[in-house]
Amino acid sequence: MIVPETAEKIKRMEIRGAGRIARAAAEALRDGALASRAPTNEAFRLEMEHAASLLLATRPTAVSLPNAVHMVMAGIEKPLTLEEVRAGIVTRADEFIRSSQHAVEQIAGFGSRHIRDGDTIMTHCNSEAALSCIIAAHREGKEIEVFATEVRPRNQGLVTIRTLNDAGIKTNFIVDSAVRSFIHDVDLVVVGADAVTVNGAVVNKIGTSQVAHAAVEARVNVMVAAETYKFAPRTTLGELIEIEERPGSEVLPDAIAKDLKNVTVRNPAFDVTPAEYIDLIVTEKGAIPPQMAYVIIRDYLGWDIGEFGAALGTGALNGA
Ligand code: RI2
């Protein structure tokens, strides 16, 4: 079945990036619903709920995943026929995929307005939303240059420099620890987000808070590109965003680690950048100061979203 396969790919990071993960989950639920041979309404719902929890259990941090799953699964408990429930899932999944892609295009338009001709931009990790702003600015004819980090341990920076190279954008590739050395050559930091909390903090790839910290110190503006479905309604109720810690073998090969009995590898995949370090969050609804995250959650997501996410994650970090 489609769902376990997709779940496995998300877990192994063959499918990665908060937006792509969300779209892949919606697609898997849709294809799972279409392929299901469940004989009764009840059996179908149970199967779909199981599929949803499989997807939710893959990676805990990117809120786009529970938000997408919730949007697709919304209302399946209503008294409808099996075919109506199936059709609802298919329609909502297609709608989510379409609007998610459209959101990235809109973010590109809004975000590029904040990039000036002659700007040097620093980016960290590989964010579709952040890159869309940079590429749009380049296509508008602005002369720009980029500093892109390596992004240990999974090297997402390689994907970023390839994309920038193919777009014809002059790019400098640096190791993560060189950020502060180059920040004075930079006019603007542009990064993506895996989650935005109600207090405007941004959860993104590990190292983002260091980049933002260096930028604040150097008085360089920090812009975050994030679709509204990356905002986390449940943080309003005090829920914390769980920071995924991935296997130590991603950082240090087991063959070496096994001889180092006193060494523990710590490998958190994300960190939290407080709202005070961020100048602007560009969403598909427009650019907002991080302090307005509450409004996005209230007006575009609603409080009940994320019910499926409620089962997720304990010990976490929320905001500053
Ligand atoms: P888009 C990624 O997570 C990065 O942290 C990136 O900044 C973020 O998702 C948002 O990416 P990972 O899957 O949705 O590489 O903007 O751990 O593409």
Side-chain angles (χ1 to χ4, degrees), residues 64-131:
S64 50
L65 175 62
N67 280 352
V69 168
H70 181 79
M71 287 179 199
V72 173
M73 297 288 283
I76 70 154
E77 71 292 341
K78 284 188 187 153
L80 300 166
T81 66
L82 195 160
E83 284 319 315
E84 284 167 339
V85 177
R86 194 196 316 267
I89 289 174
V90 171
T91 307
R92 288 188 297 274
D94 283 339
E95 168 58 18
F96 177 81
I97 295 164
R98 195 195 55 72
S99 66
S100 157
Q101 279 158 343
H102 187 50
V104 175
E105 286 160 27
Q106 286 172 303
I107 286 172
F110 289 131
S112 68
R113 291 184 202 169
H114 295 275
I115 299 173
R116 296 160 305 179
D117 192 20
D119 270 358
T120 298
I121 298 154
M122 185 177 280
T123 192
H124 181 59
C125 200
N126 176 254
S127 158
E128 196 184 23
L131 283 177

Side-chain angles (χ1 to χ4, degrees), residues 40 44 56 74 107 115 119 136 181 231 254 276 282 285 301-302 316:
T40 64
F44 179 70
L56 289 172
I107 286 172
I115 299 173
D119 270 358
S181 297
F231 286 62
D254 286 337
E276 308 86 80
V282 183
K285 303 295 177 192
L301 291 165

Side-chain angles (χ1 to χ4, degrees), residues 21-173:
I21 287 172
R23 286 197 292 275
E27 211 177 296
L29 287 172
R30 180 197 63 196
D31 296 350
L34 286 170
S36 170
R37 294 285 164 263
T40 64
N41 210 328
E42 186 51 23
F44 179 70
R45 278 176 201 171
L46 282 176
E47 201 177 301
M48 291 312 297
E49 271 162 16
H50 174 68
S53 14
L54 260 189
L55 290 163
L56 289 172
T58 52
R59 295 190 72 194
T61 302
V63 170
S64 50
L65 175 62
N67 280 352
V69 168
H70 181 79
M71 287 179 199
V72 173
M73 297 288 283
I76 70 154
E77 71 292 341
K78 284 188 187 153
L80 300 166
T81 66
L82 195 160
E83 284 319 315
E84 284 167 339
V85 177
R86 194 196 316 267
I89 289 174
V90 171
T91 307
R92 288 188 297 274
D94 283 339
E95 168 58 18
F96 177 81
I97 295 164
R98 195 195 55 72
S99 66
S100 157
Q101 279 158 343
H102 187 50
V104 175
E105 286 160 27
Q106 286 172 303
I107 286 172
F110 289 131
S112 68
R113 291 184 202 169
H114 295 275
I115 299 173
R116 296 160 305 179
D117 192 20
D119 270 358
T120 298
I121 298 154
M122 185 177 280
T123 192
H124 181 59
C125 200
N126 176 254
S127 158
E128 196 184 23
L131 283 177
S132 76
C133 302
I134 296 170
I135 292 169
H138 171 74
R139 288 197 182 134
E140 286 160 12
K142 291 171 188 168
E143 200 72 55
I144 55 169
E145 185 171 337
V146 176
F147 277 83
T149 49
E150 188 180 20
V151 198
R152 282 273 296 151
R154 299 293 299 235
N155 303 315
Q156 286 97 326
L158 290 177
V159 185
T160 295
I161 58 168
R162 194 167 295 281
T163 304
L164 291 167
N165 177 73
D166 294 351
I169 297 172
K170 194 172 168 205
T171 301
N172 306 278
F173 188 42

